Amino acid sequence: MVKGPGLYSDIGKRARDLLYRDYQSDHKFTLTTYTANGVAITSTGTKKGELFLADVSTKLTNKNITTDVKVDTNSNLFTTITVDEPAPGLKAIFSFRVPDQRSGKVELQYLHEYAGISTSLGLTANPIVNFSGVFGNSTLALGTDLSFDTASGNFTKCNAGLSFTNDDLIASVNVNDKLDILNASYYHIVSPLTNTAVGAELSHSFSSNENTLNIGTQHALDPLTSVKARVNNYGKASALIQHEWRPKSIVTISGEVDTSAIEKSAKLGLALVLKP
């Protein structure tokens, strides 16, 4: 694996994972089984209020080619074909959705010791072209993320980011939404032995002059159980506990309460992942 600046999506990812990953207010169940020839079949059901959503996906890996096919309750068929390392540092991804005839897309990712580049092209007569590039090394990286609509001749996305990574600290700054939103994030490992870390993200909107601050932490109670908590400047506090009760089978219980309106009911979420 190439150790370098990574892709643009990696800028600020550790802080985002700490603050937002695994938090939910829905009830979700995931079951993965494996056939004799190595095909992974994953069934997922999610209850959102009175609405129930479900999908079934299969994943087949043959040498360096991985094929993912997913069907959901809305009769949508999602297909992704990934070719890993057709050339050193290169990954090719082809995806499409049926019945959406305009969803076809080809993406190329290239990772180098001093660069990470991703470009994608929609398979339509007037496609949307995406390009992101990060340059630097594993310590300091500077990148941009652009989307251009060839039909209208306009840029639909224009983002830029800067990341600094140390042994126990990651700091990043992003300017998103056509330079309207400024995001600054911070991730710090307090104790590697207990996977204890703290993180924060500050977002500022230039158009509305609004600020949003999220602060969070995580800690491993034991090798199989971890807890996370976060709070924002609007008074919303969330917490979760996650336990791996058998290898790769995880149960997560999460909750959120609005401290500024304590009379409202707390939101509770449950996620169960089974991999026999």
Side-chain angles (χ1 to χ4, degrees):
M1 180 179 294
V2 177
K3 185 174 177 61
L7 299 174
Y8 184 84
S9 58
D10 295 325
I11 295 179
K13 184 177 184 300
R14 294 292 293 274
R16 290 194 302 271
D17 285 349
L18 186 150
L19 293 170
Y20 308 112
R21 186 177 178 181
D22 296 325
Y23 287 102
Q24 64 174 356
S25 58
D26 306 318
H27 295 167
K28 186 175 182 180
F29 175 79
T30 303
L31 173 64
T32 301
T33 57
Y34 299 89
T35 63
N37 59 354
V39 177
I41 302 175
T42 302
S43 302
T44 302
T46 304
K47 187 175 184 298
K48 296 176 176 288
E50 299 300 323
L51 183 65
F52 182 80
L53 304 174
D55 61 68
V56 177
S57 63
T58 62
K59 182 177 182 180
L60 173 64
T61 300
N62 183 15
K63 296 182 180 179
N64 66 329
I65 301 177
T66 301
T67 303
D68 289 279
V69 179
K70 182 173 71 172
V71 180
D72 65 14
T73 49
N74 294 321
S75 300
N76 291 311
L77 175 67
F78 303 85
T79 301
T80 303
I81 301 172
T82 304
V83 182
D84 195 19
E85 295 270 336
L90 187 66
K91 179 184 289 187
I93 304 171
F94 171 64
S95 63
F96 64 90
R97 184 179 69 194
V98 176
D100 186 356
Q101 299 179 356
R102 296 176 53 86
S103 63
K105 185 174 69 172
V106 175
E107 180 179 358
L108 293 177
Q109 297 178 359
Y110 176 69
L111 294 176
H112 184 268
E113 185 178 0
Y114 300 109
I117 297 173
S118 176
T119 182
S120 66
L121 176 68
L123 301 180
T124 62
N126 298 296
I128 294 178
V129 181
N130 295 279
F131 172 83
S132 67
V134 179
F135 303 93
N137 51 37
S138 58
T139 301
L140 186 64
L142 176 65
T144 186
D145 183 23
L146 306 171
S147 289
F148 181 76
D149 189 343
T150 58
S152 63
N154 297 321
F155 281 96
T156 58
K157 182 169 61 175
C158 183
N159 304 329
L162 174 68
S163 175
F164 172 78
T165 303
N166 203 351
D167 292 337
D168 59 354
L169 183 148
I170 302 175
S172 65
V173 177
N174 295 78
V175 184
N176 301 321
D177 294 346
K178 297 182 180 180
L179 309 183
D180 180 58
I181 304 295
L182 175 67
N183 291 328
S185 67
Y186 166 82
Y187 176 87
H188 178 62
I189 300 174
V190 179
S191 174
L193 294 177
T194 58
N195 195 29
T196 303
V198 295
E201 182 184 60
L202 175 64
S203 298
H204 175 75
S205 172
F206 293 102
S207 59
S208 64
N209 200 33
E210 292 183 355
N211 295 312
T212 302
L213 175 64
N214 280 279
I215 300 174
T217 184
Q218 68 180 25
H219 174 71
L221 300 177
D222 57 52
L224 301 177
T225 308
S226 61
V227 294
K228 294 172 63 176
R230 74 178 184 199
V231 65
N232 66 17
N233 59 314
Y234 296 106
K236 289 186 177 181
S238 306
L240 69 80
I241 182 168
Q242 190 172 76
H243 178 67
E244 186 177 6
W245 56 281
R246 59 177 295 169
K248 297 182 180 180
S249 295
I250 301 171
V251 58
T252 305
I253 301 174
S254 58
E256 180 184 274
V257 61
D258 188 348
T259 60
S260 62
I262 201 67
E263 69 279 1
K264 294 183 179 180
S265 299
K267 296 179 180 179
L268 296 177
L270 173 66
L272 180 62
V273 178
L274 298 179
K275 291 187 178 181

